[in-house]
Amino acid sequence: MKATFMYGAGDVRVETIPDPNLIEATDAVIRTVRSCVCGSDLHPYHSMEASEQGSPMGHEVVGVVEEIGAAVTSLRPGDLVISSFTYQDNTCEFCTEGFHVSCLHGGFFGGQGIGLQAEFVRVPLADGTLVAVRAADGSAVDETGNDSEELLASLLSLSDVYLTGYHAATMGQVGPGQIVTVIGDGAVGLSAVLASRQLGADRIILMGRHASRTDLGREFGATDVVAERGDEGIELVRDLTGGLGSHVVLEAVGHRPAYEQAAGVVRAGGTISRVGVPQYREAPIGGSLFLNNITLTGGTAPVRRYLESATAQVVRGEISPGRVFDVAMPLMQAPAAYAAMDRREALKVMLVP
């Protein structure tokens, strides 16, 4: 089969490797229907040290079950399924508390030999990791059909970006009567806008400077767009909020300037929820944050916690988060997909086997 590997900064290759097989009785093997490149994949694309052994890439996938292990009970061959970007048993203490990324028996895709930018994937702990896509009457949903491309895009977004944005909003306790500022107009930031609208925020300010993206942000529910950065951007958000700042700030970038911008626009007693993977070692947590009783929360999204309910919303047509995919490429063009996203020629690229 074909699979994507990274050998160093800017060095992405699609190679031929053996098809995966069941190893544990709790495994499943799926045929990839759609996968994609994530903004977080660009961090190693910029900084990974050169290596003779490539790192398997990809942590988002929609697929069809090909084979299941003897202990798998919730799935059957032919099921259209979504995987979270982690694998987990969904039964340990942390999973039952809703923090599946800390599963006592789980791990992350895109490493440990399991990349999802591939034609086939072995999924560990399949019962706890994969969610079958079902219609309201419980019947299976086919990967083909009149609206299949739109449906597949939205289902794929649930594997990471939409539910990462939703997690940011959930941890920030977004709700009616609130002003929310979202920092970042990437796929996660736009997803956070959509999630904030779903949770009832009264006003959503999107801080981003790419018009094609912020236009989609407005369609997702942003009431205001601030293109300026730094002190100028902070001042503009303060002006929009009567000088008080936002009740909740969702930081979806991961760089220190974005964190500092969040600290500048949050109001007294407010919350900063971070889901951008931090690319900095230190950042201020005292000073005005302590003085003004600011809550700092967020973290790696436990996608599995939200996956079933969000899948049902997509199938019912209540949300279309897959609109963040603006380019589709064959899997064999994965290196070009990385380059396009790095050059900001694409918001998010879907890979088609």
Side-chain angles (χ1 to χ4, degrees):
M1 71 170 186
K2 302 298 184 183
T4 305
F5 293 83
M6 187 178 293
Y7 283 83
D11 186 1
V12 177
R13 310 175 196 175
V14 178
E15 300 185 338
T16 301
I17 63 172
D19 291 355
N21 297 307
L22 298 174
I23 297 176
E24 304 290 342
T26 51
D27 289 347
V29 172
I30 65 172
R31 171 179 56 83
T32 297
V33 174
R34 297 290 185 274
S35 61
C36 57
V37 180
C38 183
S40 65
D41 292 332
L42 297 182
H43 296 316
Y45 188 77
H46 294 151
S47 62
M48 180 178 173
E49 293 186 8
S51 171
E52 293 184 2
Q53 182 175 358
S55 176
M57 298 302 295
H59 54 260
E60 301 152 280
V61 73
V62 172
V64 172
V65 175
E66 293 280 296
E67 190 177 3
I68 57 174
V72 176
T73 60
S74 64
L75 305 166
R76 56 182 179 266
D79 280 344
L80 180 67
V81 292
I82 311 170
S83 173
S84 54
F85 63 79
T86 58
Y87 55 91
Q88 55 273 305
D89 58 24
N90 203 31
T91 58
C92 81
E93 186 168 357
F94 292 136
C95 285
T96 55
E97 291 176 356
F99 294 97
H100 298 72
V101 294
S102 301
C103 177
L104 295 171
H105 309 107
F108 285 77
F109 288 112
Q112 302 182 32
I114 305 175
L116 303 189
Q117 292 168 7
E119 292 181 308
F120 295 90
V121 178
R122 179 182 72 86
V123 179
L125 301 174
D127 277 328
T129 300
L130 299 175
V131 169
V133 182
R134 306 287 186 201
D137 62 3
S139 60
V141 172
D142 195 350
E143 65 182 284
T144 62
N146 294 334
D147 301 319
S148 61
E149 286 304 319
E150 180 180 347
L151 175 64
L152 290 173
S154 285
L155 293 174
L156 181 58
S157 75
L158 305 185
S159 193
D160 184 350
V161 286
Y162 175 65
L163 291 180
T164 292
Y166 188 87
H167 180 62
T170 298
M171 294 296 283
Q173 298 186 342
V174 170
Q178 291 182 330
I179 301 172
V180 176
T181 293
V182 176
I183 298 176
D185 58 8
V188 172
L190 296 178
S191 296
V193 170
L194 179 58
S196 296
R197 186 182 70 178
Q198 290 290 309
L199 293 172
D202 278 12
R203 191 173 185 184
I204 304 169
I205 302 168
L206 173 59
M207 301 192 77
R209 60 193 182 100
H210 303 90
S212 61
R213 301 182 180 192
T214 56
D215 286 349
L216 178 57
R218 289 187 185 276
E219 294 180 37
F220 275 179
T223 55
D224 305 89
V225 170
V226 172
E228 290 75 9
R229 293 180 171 183
D231 291 341
E232 186 179 2
I234 291 169
E235 183 177 354
L236 286 170
V237 173
R238 288 280 176 180
D239 288 345
L240 287 171
T241 58
L244 300 179
S246 295
H247 296 94
V248 183
V249 183
L250 309 180
E251 192 274 281
V253 179
H255 293 291
R256 180 162 168 169
Y259 172 82
E260 292 173 344
Q261 200 161 278
V265 302
V266 68
R267 68 189 278 147
T271 298
I272 298 172
S273 182
R274 304 178 305 154
V275 291
V277 180
Q279 300 302 299
Y280 49 88
R281 292 180 178 271
E282 297 179 352
I285 59 172
S288 65
L289 296 184
F290 182 79
L291 175 66
N292 292 309
N293 294 279
I294 306 303
T295 298
L296 183 62
T297 188
T300 307
V303 165
R304 186 62 180 82
R305 170 178 172 179
Y306 313 111
L307 193 50
E308 287 166 330
S309 59
T311 299
Q313 282 188 291
V314 166
V315 171
R316 292 194 298 263
E318 296 173 5
I319 54 174
S320 298
R323 294 178 65 192
V324 297
F325 291 102
D326 57 344
V327 175
M329 293 184 178
L331 175 64
M332 289 299 295
Q333 294 181 17
Y338 276 78
M341 287 182 59
D342 186 49
R343 293 192 299 263
R344 295 188 180 274
E345 297 171 356
L347 169 59
K348 190 166 177 66
V349 180
M350 179 183 295
L351 297 174
V352 183

